[in-house]
Amino acid sequence: MRLKVLGIGSPFGVDRIGWDVVEALGARHPHSRYALGELRIGCCDRPGVALLEQLRDCDEAWIVDALAGGRVGHLRWLVPEDLGLAGESFSTHGAGVADALALGAALNEPLPAVRLLAIEAGCKPEAELPQACVARALDELSMRLRDSLGEPLL
């Protein structure tokens, strides 16, 4: 399996949490080849529909991003269908993850299986999330990575 983990957001405030988590994941798991597949890690600055390009050449993609509202630091695994829930938005940027995935589906783009790790940010988007939120999300990703790809090959 070819797995891509993408931190999305912006360099500002709480919206940077996806980047921070994915950068920490890369430091913890620097090997790209694993017993059951390959891992690629990257960050995107508010990708909009350019997210479709980032999702090419992988079998599964995990997207890490802040989710406005909720309990600060609470982790939620979502699938694309969850993004259409009334009153919820995964992005405060014009074309978010749901929009990009919907466009890809409408264009019959071959999309990988997508999972979203949403880190609830509360109601103050200009604030910084505590480093404990990064650590908790990193531990969650590391555990799922071992379950999905096994141990790294040196």
Side-chain angles (χ1 to χ4, degrees):
M1 176 175 73
R2 297 168 302 162
L3 172 64
K4 184 179 271 189
V5 180
L6 293 171
I8 62 172
S10 75
F12 308 107
V14 74
D15 205 30
R16 184 179 170 78
I17 190 81
W19 291 8
D20 292 342
V21 170
V22 169
E23 287 171 357
L25 182 70
R28 184 181 283 185
H29 300 277
H31 306 288
S32 60
R33 302 216 16 101
Y34 288 76
L36 302 174
E38 177 183 327
L39 173 67
R40 286 179 276 158
I41 296 173
C43 294
C44 302
D45 185 352
R46 299 163 282 195
V49 296
L51 178 63
L52 296 175
E53 183 65 32
Q54 293 291 326
L55 297 178
R56 294 190 185 189
D57 300 324
C58 65
D59 302 309
E60 188 168 335
W62 298 349
I63 297 172
V64 183
D65 197 5
L67 176 65
R71 293 179 300 149
V72 172
H74 180 72
L75 303 178
R76 291 175 54 190
W77 279 99
L78 305 171
V79 294
E81 295 78 21
D82 294 332
L83 300 180
L85 298 175
E88 291 196 52
S89 174
F90 198 69
S91 177
T92 57
H93 316 297
V97 173
D99 300 313
L101 295 175
L103 177 62
L107 296 173
N108 293 318
E109 287 281 326
L111 297 173
V114 175
R115 302 277 181 260
L116 304 113
L117 178 57
I119 305 166
E120 293 181 355
C123 298
K124 294 184 180 180
E126 71 284 352
E128 295 289 327
L129 285 176
Q131 279 304 109
C133 297
V134 172
R136 194 167 38 256
L138 175 60
D139 289 344
E140 173 71 18
L141 283 172
S142 293
M143 179 186 68
R144 293 215 181 198
L145 180 60
R146 281 189 300 277
D147 291 346
S148 296
L149 295 181
E151 295 299 321
L153 300 174
L154 303 176

